[in-house]
Amino acid sequence: MAAKNTLRTWARLMRTYAKMDALYFLRDTRICLLYMFSDSVVSISGVFGMLLLAGRLGQSTGFSQNELYFLAACALLVNGLYDLFFMNNNAGAPSRIIGRGQLDHALIQPVPLPLHFITNGFAPASGCGTLLCGVAFSLWAAARLPGGVWLVAKALPLLVLSVGILFAWVYGVSALAFWAPYAAEEIAPDVTALFSSLAAYPLEVLGRFAQFFLCGLLPVGAMAWLPTSVLLGKAAPGPSIGLLAATAAASGLVAATIFRKGLNHYAKVSCPRYTGFGR
């Protein structure tokens, strides 16, 4: 019964935030479209280096040119999915909420804090620019590969795990703002930029230890390279998917532990500052 009530609350909240985002789009369509376009340009620029190198790198990376295009497209899809669900209200940058003393805005809501964070950023209208670019680019890239456009459908479950890893790392690192609100206020965008900027690069030329490190301990390779390698038959599906799932589970567990400790610290000392900026 509790799980059913939680699911109903989640659905109501998602509908509410979707309507609010749609109102933003309808009331000022021109500004919203400009915002979506600029956000797409920023996201595409994160993988553009890979696109420029794709023609020159070729088989030296273990990927063909078309496979490198698909790798970059999967990185865009991960960024797009993250923006879609966590763009609004700084849900994708919780260090800002914590560091600015705004966490009480969430704590006074009549919903559990985790449910608030996973619904508060839903932006199906203003946050879909990067995702649409990723879908279009991935369909184009997949059509040039033997698997065809069905590769995109096969990629989505794996990329959802990648989004979960990114979410866990952003929230885990953002918890530092509980102890250092001034210094760590802007740390979440730095974590997102780190993963986004490195996600599109192949790791085939690196040794096994470096690949494991970049897919497990600092899982930037789990954003796109590992799922793409599985789909293109360059990595054994069982161990690779197992590593991806284990990384997602471990990242979530560590992030939840750190965030809970941060909340306990916040309950004792609160935050020494408050600013209404950004909310």
Side-chain angles (χ1 to χ4, degrees):
M1 181 62 71
K4 188 175 182 180
N5 290 335
T6 300
L7 186 61
R8 287 177 177 174
T9 304
W10 173 83
R12 286 198 297 267
L13 288 171
M14 294 295 276
R15 287 197 300 269
T16 299
Y17 286 116
K19 291 177 181 178
M20 292 172 63
D21 195 51
L23 286 175
Y24 167 53
F25 179 82
L26 294 172
R27 288 174 177 172
D28 204 336
T29 304
R30 183 177 66 87
I31 296 298
C32 188
L33 289 175
L34 286 173
Y35 179 79
M36 293 168 61
F37 174 76
S38 61
D39 187 67
S40 301
V41 170
V42 171
S43 297
I44 292 173
S45 66
V47 300
F48 203 73
M50 186 66 255
L51 300 182
L52 293 175
L53 291 173
R56 293 183 175 273
L57 291 176
Q59 295 292 342
S60 63
T61 63
F63 280 65
S64 68
Q65 183 176 356
N66 290 331
E67 288 170 343
L68 289 174
Y69 289 151
F70 186 67
L71 171 62
C74 285
L76 264 183
L77 281 176
V78 172
N79 293 338
L81 287 170
Y82 189 78
D83 286 349
L84 178 70
F85 287 98
F86 307 111
M87 172 175 281
N88 277 347
N89 300 314
N90 279 328
S95 62
R96 292 174 175 171
I97 299 173
I98 300 166
R100 294 171 184 172
Q102 299 170 351
L103 187 62
D104 286 345
H105 296 181
L107 293 173
I108 64 175
Q109 300 297 320
V111 294
L113 189 61
L115 192 59
H116 172 81
F117 276 125
I118 64 175
T119 57
N120 193 38
F122 188 46
S126 62
C128 68
T130 300
L131 181 61
L132 293 176
C133 290
V135 169
F137 186 31
S138 61
L139 289 174
W140 174 82
R144 300 163 66 93
L145 295 171
V149 296
W150 289 108
L151 281 174
V152 180
K154 294 178 181 178
L156 284 178
L158 300 179
L159 297 182
V160 168
L161 287 176
S162 299
V163 174
I165 293 172
L166 178 58
F167 177 83
W169 271 77
V170 169
Y171 272 73
V173 175
S174 291
L176 295 175
F178 284 115
W179 292 276
Y182 292 93
E185 177 185 336
E186 288 295 327
I187 200 170
D190 292 335
V191 176
T192 306
L194 172 65
F195 278 78
S196 299
S197 61
L198 297 179
Y201 288 87
L203 306 181
E204 299 292 319
V205 296
L206 302 179
R208 291 295 182 185
F209 175 78
Q211 290 178 3
F212 177 78
F213 179 82
L214 293 174
C215 290
L217 301 180
L218 181 62
V220 294
M223 293 297 97
W225 174 77
L226 188 58
T228 303
S229 297
V230 172
L231 293 169
L232 298 178
K234 298 181 180 297
S240 299
I241 295 176
L243 177 59
L244 188 64
T247 300
S251 298
L253 180 62
V254 172
T257 301
I258 298 174
F259 205 87
R260 183 174 294 277
K261 288 184 178 295
L263 281 173
N264 292 336
H265 177 79
Y266 182 81
K268 296 175 182 177
V269 303
S270 189
C271 182
R273 64 189 300 224
Y274 177 82
T275 172
F277 176 73
R279 295 289 285 172

